[in-house]
Amino acid sequence: MKPKDLRTELLPVWCTGCGDFGVLKGLTQALSDLEIAPEKLAVISGIGCSSRLPGYVKAYSFNTIHGRALPIASGLKTARPELTTVVVGGDGDGFSIGLGHLPHAIRRDINLTYIVMDNGIYGLTKGQASPTTELESKRTRGLAGGDEQPLNPVLLVLSAGCGFVARTHAGNMPHMREMMKQAIEYPGFSFVHVLAGCVTYQPRNYSDQLLQRSYELPAEYDKSDLGAAITAVRDGRFALGVIYKRPLEEVAATAGATADEDWTPPDAVLKQDLPTE
Ligand SMILES: Cc1ncc(C[n+]2csc(CCOP(=O)(O)OP(=O)(O)O)c2C)c(N)n1
Ligand SMILES: [Mg+2]
């Protein structure tokens, strides 16, 4: 199975140069590396430019409502644990309206992979500030809000107890492919923070600016050390790589961490008469 076998016929409507193209490519590459067939895959999103991605992936896909991708995906994964379930969306979707769901999805440790395409802006609604818009940033068509302290999504998910946290850049295809692969393989809730450019509402060189502030975690970095992870994400630069990975023995001990692949709904549930009114 090749990455293109995981693409639908729909052509993306993203702007030329949008970082989301890279994410679509990296995700289909990772899924093809892992040989996850469309009938074994669900891709769920909220609303936003980035949340259009499920339409372009051959899978059970659902472009849901703004900020509600995680609870919908949690329900799906609980009912159909055999489906690899990937949740995608933007910084607005995940860290504004949807933020309340994030720590709960993390503490339940349902086996989902959550990929956030963080362009530091509300792209779809034409450039308003998002929770990750940086202080005094130069948005090209910035509207209301902004110029407030941004939140640090990676620090946030680490403090909520997320067992797998990685960061990558939408322009670095081999790196993104690898991060997505590892996140999908991880048997609990995994989070991938993607630094993504927006060519329309951020400065043209925004993606390069992000890259300049990034560095790859060195080989000797101990990703099982939560303290090291917290230090690495607090220095104003963007550490790229697997920032934290909870040792697998501890994952198995976490309630709800691993879905029972053989689970089927009890007969009583399947045969239950649904109320007609
Ligand atoms: C309940 C509700 N509130 C607001 C909106 C308007 N809205 C749609 S997308 C969006 C933000 C999108 O930003 P982000 O999630 O960062 O995605 P991007 O377009 O940047 O990829 C907003 C505010 C909506 N669709 N529904
Ligand atoms: Mg955004």
Side-chain angles (χ1 to χ4, degrees), residues 128-191:
Q128 297 89 348
S130 86
T132 55
T133 303
E134 300 218 299
L135 208 54
E136 294 170 19
S137 63
K138 303 259 185 301
R139 282 163 287 135
T140 50
R141 282 171 240 177
L143 301 172
D147 303 336
E148 300 163 344
Q149 279 295 344
L151 62 74
N152 179 335
V154 173
L155 185 60
L156 194 107
V157 298
L158 285 170
S159 60
C162 191
F164 182 99
V165 182
R167 178 154 47 205
T168 183
H169 185 282
N172 187 341
M173 293 308 308
H175 192 263
M176 186 158 36
R177 179 182 193 157
E178 184 56 31
M179 293 302 105
M180 290 188 181
K181 230 162 85 179
Q182 291 195 33
I184 294 167
E185 279 183 310
Y186 179 78
F189 188 95
S190 53
F191 177 81

Side-chain angles (χ1 to χ4, degrees), residues 49-50 89-93 117-124 128 130 132 198:
C49 298
S50 41
D91 40 308
D93 191 77
M117 288 160 257
D118 186 353
N119 55 9
I121 209 138
Y122 291 179
L124 189 75
Q128 297 89 348
S130 86
T132 55
C198 171

Side-chain angles (χ1 to χ4, degrees), residues 226-238:
L226 185 56
I230 289 171
T231 306
V233 301
R234 292 193 67 197
D235 69 357
R237 294 183 302 156
F238 299 114

Side-chain angles (χ1 to χ4, degrees), residues 240-253:
L240 303 181
V242 177
I243 294 169
Y244 179 63
K245 184 173 179 188
R246 183 178 297 143
L248 288 182
E249 324 69 88
E250 290 175 36
V251 181

